[in-house]
Amino acid sequence: MGTKAIHPQSIRNVMIIGDPDETTRVAHRLCRRFARTGAADTVHWVMGRVDHTIHIAELSSHAPIAELEQSIRVADGVIAVVNAAVRSTPRLETILRVADDHQVARLCLVTALDHPAADFDRCVRTIAQTRGAVPLTLQIPIGIGTEFEGVIDLVPMWALEPMAVEFYGSHWKVAEQWYRHLVAAVLEQDAADSLGLREIPPEQLHERIRCRTRLGDAVPVLCDAAPWSDDVAPLLDAIVRYLPSPLHVCQPEHALDH
C-alpha cells in the first residue's frame, strides 16, 4: 500500500517547553492514546472532519538560553507549560519574550492546579506582565488546590445553559466574568455590545483568537485536566485551532515538516 499524502495545512509542528517532568507528562498523555503506530511523537487528531497530524517535540526550560532561543526561533508553535504552584517563573518569562521576539505563536498550559500552593490568577498575571504576551484565558479551573474539581471551557459555555448554571453553582458567575474579559480582548467593543454575550457565535471567537495567536500578539491560556479525568481533547483542539500549520509560518528557517 502507498503512503497517504498529508496536506501541509493539516500539519502542526509543536514544541512543548517547561520543566522536563512536566513536558514529558504532557507529551506522554497526548501521545498515549492518539499516537500513530511507529511514531511515538506524532499524534493523529480529527477535528471538523479533517484529519490532522501533530508532531510533538519537547524542550527543557532549564536548557541554556542560547539553545532555548534557537529552538523557539525555528518552532512553528510553542506550548509553554506553566506550573501553578511555582511562584517565581523567570524561565517562563524568557520563553514568552523569545517567542514574541521571533513572532512565534504560543499557548500556555497551566498545570498542578490541584497542588495546595496553586494560584491560577498569578499565572495569568505573570503572562500579562510579560512583554508582548496578552493572555486570552480560554479555560478556568473549578476550584483550586485541594478543591480543584475540573475545568470550565469559556468559549462554548453558553451552549451549556441552563443546566451548567445549576451544575457549576457559584463558579458560573466567575466564568461569566472571565468570559467578558475574553470577549473584550478579542472583539471590537461595538460587536460585543450589539450581539450580547449569549449571542456571540463560538466560531467568531475561535477565528479572532486564531488570528491574534498566529500574529503572535496574544497567548491562549488553558488549564490542564484534573488528574482523574486525563482529558486531552481541549488541548488538541486548541493546537489545531490556534497554532499555525507550516504554510502559515513566515520565518524562512521553518520547514514544511520535521
Side-chain angles (χ1 to χ4, degrees):
M1 295 180 63
T3 303
K4 181 181 177 181
I6 300 175
H7 194 284
Q9 195 162 339
S10 68
I11 294 172
R12 300 293 184 273
N13 296 321
V14 178
M15 179 167 292
I16 304 175
I17 308 179
D19 182 87
D21 291 339
E22 292 284 329
T23 61
T24 298
R25 186 181 62 82
V26 172
H28 176 70
R29 288 174 57 210
L30 291 175
C31 296
R32 183 172 56 202
R33 289 159 52 195
F34 303 106
R36 292 187 184 277
T37 303
D41 60 350
T42 302
V43 173
H44 165 75
W45 186 244
V46 177
M47 191 181 77
R49 299 183 180 180
V50 177
D51 186 353
H52 294 88
T53 301
I54 304 172
H55 299 296
I56 297 172
E58 298 176 52
L59 178 65
S60 169
S61 57
H62 304 311
I65 296 296
E67 181 180 345
L68 278 174
E69 181 160 6
Q70 170 64 18
S71 298
I72 294 170
R73 183 171 64 87
V74 298
D76 288 359
V78 164
I79 299 175
V81 180
V82 186
N83 189 312
V86 176
R87 290 186 173 274
S88 178
T89 55
R91 280 304 176 103
L92 168 65
E93 296 165 30
T94 298
I95 291 165
L96 294 177
R97 281 196 295 269
V98 171
D100 181 62
D101 287 342
H102 298 287
Q103 294 183 300
V104 176
R106 59 272 193 202
L107 309 175
C108 284
L109 179 67
V110 182
T111 64
L113 291 163
D114 59 334
H115 192 282
D119 188 335
F120 178 73
D121 290 354
R122 182 179 65 232
C123 294
V124 176
R125 287 195 303 271
T126 297
I127 298 167
Q129 292 165 2
T130 302
R131 172 178 55 82
V134 178
L136 302 178
T137 305
L138 307 187
Q139 296 178 321
I140 62 169
I142 304 172
I144 196 73
T146 57
E147 298 180 356
F148 177 56
E149 298 177 358
V151 171
I152 298 178
D153 286 300
L154 297 182
V155 174
M157 62 181 278
W158 298 112
L160 303 175
E161 265 196 317
M163 178 181 64
V165 177
E166 181 178 353
F167 180 78
Y168 291 122
S170 61
H171 298 293
W172 186 259
K173 288 294 184 184
V174 176
E176 281 192 49
Q177 295 173 2
W178 280 101
Y179 183 84
R180 289 178 186 274
H181 293 320
L182 174 63
V183 168
V186 300
L187 292 184
E188 296 293 338
Q189 191 61 47
D190 290 345
D193 291 342
S194 63
L195 287 172
L197 293 180
R198 290 170 175 78
E199 299 174 5
I200 298 172
E203 295 76 15
Q204 184 177 357
L205 285 179
H206 288 316
E207 179 60 28
R208 290 298 302 153
I209 295 165
R210 173 167 47 250
C211 289
R212 295 201 62 188
T213 302
R214 290 181 177 180
L215 287 172
D217 66 357
V219 183
V221 179
L222 293 94
C223 298
D224 200 13
W228 56 88
S229 75
D230 203 28
D231 182 12
V232 295
L235 178 56
L236 289 169
D237 283 346
I239 291 171
V240 169
R241 277 197 181 108
Y242 307 129
L243 294 182
S245 74
L247 292 181
H248 292 101
V249 175
C250 299
Q251 290 91 327
E253 296 92 343
H254 290 73
L256 285 182
D257 200 353
H258 285 319

